[in-house]
Amino acid sequence: GVFEPSEIAASLNRGKLGRITKIRFSKTMGKANTTTLIYGNVIVTLTLEPYPIGVKITSKAIADTYKLIFEELWKNAQT
């Protein structure tokens, strides 16, 4: 995943999670008030502000677009 640089994110990278997933860092991610999960043809966007809410979309076309966006973020993020 791509996270804002923080001690919490760095500790995830160093811990057990770091053995099964890859994490990169981007300062712009700190400005995001939501998180997006992509799995197959499903996209879930979550926020806690001003209260917890999530949106689930099942669509191959939309998932493919989100995957392209993620790949660009991944290429520009730092390890």
Side-chain angles (χ1 to χ4, degrees):
V2 180
F3 297 88
E4 72 172 302
S6 69
E7 184 52 39
I8 293 171
S11 68
L12 290 173
N13 212 21
R14 289 189 304 264
K16 291 180 183 178
L17 187 59
R19 287 185 247 154
I20 60 172
T21 191
K22 295 180 182 177
I23 296 174
R24 292 191 181 180
F25 303 96
S26 171
K27 290 181 182 177
T28 58
M29 294 309 293
K31 298 175 186 173
N33 292 324
T34 64
T35 190
T36 301
L37 309 170
I38 308 165
Y39 184 77
N41 294 335
V42 177
I43 302 99
V44 177
T45 300
L46 305 166
T47 187
L48 298 176
E49 297 177 16
Y51 49 85
I53 189 169
V55 177
K56 177 183 173 185
I57 301 170
T58 303
S59 165
K60 182 177 181 343
I62 296 173
D64 288 346
T65 299
Y66 270 78
K67 289 172 187 175
L68 288 172
I69 294 167
F70 174 81
E71 289 300 323
E72 285 300 310
L73 283 169
W74 187 256
K75 284 193 288 188
N76 293 311
Q78 299 174 341
T79 56

